[in-house]
Coordinates of all heavy atoms in Angstrom, one line a residue:
Chain B
I7 N 22.3 -52.4 15.3 CA 21.9 -51.3 14.5 C 21.7 -51.8 13.0 O 22.7 -52.3 12.5 CB 23.0 -50.2 14.5 CG1 23.3 -49.7 15.9 CG2 22.5 -49.0 13.6 CD1 24.4 -48.7 16.0
V22 N 12.4 -36.4 23.3 CA 11.7 -36.5 24.6 C 10.7 -37.7 24.5 O 10.0 -37.7 23.5 CB 11.0 -35.2 25.0 CG1 10.1 -35.4 26.2 CG2 12.0 -34.1 25.3
N70 N 14.9 -27.9 26.4 CA 15.3 -26.5 26.4 C 16.5 -26.2 27.2 O 17.4 -25.5 26.8 CB 14.1 -25.5 26.9 CG 13.0 -25.5 25.9 OD1 12.4 -26.5 25.6 ND2 12.8 -24.4 25.3
H97 N 34.6 -45.7 28.9 CA 33.3 -45.6 29.7 C 32.2 -46.5 29.2 O 31.1 -46.4 29.6 CB 32.9 -44.1 29.6 CG 33.8 -43.2 30.2 ND1 33.9 -43.0 31.6 CD2 34.7 -42.3 29.7 CE1 34.8 -42.1 31.8 NE2 35.3 -41.6 30.7
T107 N 19.6 -52.3 30.9 CA 18.2 -52.8 30.9 C 17.3 -51.6 31.4 O 16.2 -51.4 30.8 CB 18.0 -53.9 31.9 OG1 18.9 -55.0 31.5 CG2 16.6 -54.5 31.9
A109 N 17.8 -48.4 31.2 CA 17.8 -47.2 30.4 C 17.3 -47.4 28.9 O 17.1 -46.5 28.2 CB 19.2 -46.6 30.4
G181 N -12.3 -21.6 7.3 CA -11.9 -20.2 7.2 C -12.7 -19.6 6.0 O -13.6 -20.2 5.4
A186 N -14.6 -16.9 -6.6 CA -13.9 -17.1 -7.8 C -13.5 -15.8 -8.5 O -14.3 -14.8 -8.4 CB -14.8 -18.0 -8.7
P193 N -16.9 -13.8 -0.2 CA -16.2 -15.1 0.2 C -17.2 -16.0 0.9 O -18.2 -15.5 1.4 CB -15.1 -14.6 1.2 CG -15.6 -13.2 1.6 CD -16.4 -12.7 0.5
T194 N -16.9 -17.3 1.0 CA -17.7 -18.2 1.7 C -16.9 -18.8 2.9 O -15.7 -19.0 2.8 CB -18.2 -19.4 0.8 OG1 -17.0 -20.0 0.2 CG2 -19.0 -18.9 -0.3
Y205 N 7.3 -29.4 2.7 CA 8.5 -30.0 3.3 C 9.5 -29.0 3.6 O 10.0 -28.3 2.7 CB 9.1 -31.1 2.3 CG 10.0 -32.0 3.0 CD1 9.8 -33.4 3.0 CD2 11.2 -31.5 3.6 CE1 10.7 -34.2 3.7 CE2 12.1 -32.3 4.3 CZ 11.8 -33.6 4.3 OH 12.7 -34.4 5.0
V231 N 22.8 -22.9 17.1 CA 21.8 -23.9 16.6 C 22.0 -25.2 17.3 O 23.1 -25.8 17.1 CB 21.8 -24.0 15.1 CG1 20.9 -25.2 14.6 CG2 21.3 -22.7 14.5
P252 N -1.7 -7.4 3.0 CA -0.2 -7.2 3.0 C 0.5 -7.8 4.2 O 1.7 -7.6 4.3 CB -0.1 -5.7 3.0 CG -1.3 -5.3 3.9 CD -2.4 -6.3 3.7
G262 N -1.6 -25.7 12.5 CA -0.7 -26.8 12.9 C 0.6 -26.8 12.1 O 0.6 -26.5 10.9
L272 N 24.0 -30.3 14.8 CA 24.9 -29.8 13.7 C 26.2 -30.6 13.7 O 26.9 -30.8 12.7 CB 25.1 -28.3 13.8 CG 23.9 -27.4 13.5 CD1 24.4 -26.0 13.1 CD2 23.1 -27.9 12.3
S281 N 28.5 -26.6 -0.1 CA 28.4 -25.2 -0.5 C 26.9 -24.9 -0.9 O 26.2 -25.7 -1.3 CB 29.4 -24.8 -1.5 OG 29.3 -25.7 -2.6
S334 N 21.8 -20.2 4.0 CA 22.1 -21.1 5.1 C 21.4 -20.8 6.4 O 20.9 -19.6 6.5 CB 23.6 -21.0 5.3 OG 23.9 -19.8 5.9
G362 N 13.5 -28.1 -5.2 CA 14.8 -28.0 -6.0 C 14.4 -27.7 -7.5 O 13.3 -27.4 -7.8
E364 N 14.4 -29.9 -10.1 CA 13.8 -30.9 -10.9 C 12.3 -31.0 -10.5 O 11.9 -30.7 -9.4 CB 14.4 -32.3 -10.5 CG 15.9 -32.3 -10.6 CD 16.3 -32.1 -12.1 OE1 15.6 -32.6 -13.0 OE2 17.4 -31.6 -12.3
C370 N 5.8 -29.2 -2.3 CA 4.4 -29.0 -1.8 C 3.4 -29.2 -3.0 O 3.8 -29.1 -4.1 CB 4.2 -27.6 -1.2 SG 4.5 -26.2 -2.3
E376 N 0.5 -27.7 -9.7 CA 0.3 -26.4 -10.3 C -1.0 -25.8 -9.8 O -2.0 -25.5 -10.6 CB 0.3 -26.5 -11.9 CG 1.7 -26.7 -12.5 CD 2.4 -25.4 -12.7 OE1 1.8 -24.4 -13.2 OE2 3.6 -25.3 -12.4
R377 N -1.1 -25.6 -8.5 CA -2.2 -25.0 -7.8 C -3.5 -25.8 -8.2 O -4.6 -25.2 -8.5 CB -2.4 -23.5 -8.1 CG -3.3 -22.9 -7.0 CD -3.3 -21.4 -7.1 NE -4.2 -20.9 -6.0 CZ -4.2 -19.6 -5.6 NH1 -3.5 -18.7 -6.2 NH2 -5.0 -19.3 -4.6
R406 N 23.9 -39.7 4.1 CA 24.5 -41.0 4.0 C 26.0 -40.9 3.7 O 26.4 -40.1 2.9 CB 23.9 -41.7 2.8 CG 22.4 -42.0 2.9 CD 21.9 -42.7 1.5 NE 20.5 -42.4 1.3 CZ 19.5 -43.2 1.8 NH1 19.8 -44.2 2.6 NH2 18.3 -42.8 1.5
K408 N 29.7 -43.7 4.4 CA 30.3 -44.9 5.0 C 31.5 -44.6 5.9 O 32.3 -43.7 5.5 CB 30.6 -45.9 4.0 CG 29.4 -46.6 3.3 CD 29.8 -47.7 2.4 CE 28.6 -48.3 1.6 NZ 27.7 -49.0 2.4
V409 N 31.7 -45.3 7.0 CA 32.9 -45.1 7.8 C 33.5 -46.6 7.9 O 32.8 -47.4 8.4 CB 32.6 -44.5 9.1 CG1 33.9 -44.6 10.0 CG2 32.1 -43.1 9.0
N413 N 27.8 -48.5 6.9 CA 27.0 -47.3 6.8 C 27.1 -46.5 8.1 O 27.0 -47.0 9.2 CB 25.5 -47.7 6.7 CG 25.2 -48.2 5.2 OD1 26.0 -47.9 4.3 ND2 24.1 -48.9 5.1
V420 N 10.9 -40.1 11.0 CA 9.8 -39.7 10.2 C 9.0 -38.5 10.8 O 8.9 -38.4 12.0 CB 8.9 -40.9 9.9 CG1 8.2 -41.4 11.2 CG2 7.9 -40.5 8.8

Side-chain angles (χ1 to χ4, degrees):
Chain B
I7 305 174
V22 169
N70 290 65
H97 296 285
T107 303
T194 56
Y205 193 119
V231 170
L272 291 198
S281 49
S334 69
E364 306 295 329
C370 62
E376 286 274 316
R377 197 172 185 168
R406 296 177 208 275
K408 288 187 187 291
V409 172
N413 284 344
V420 65

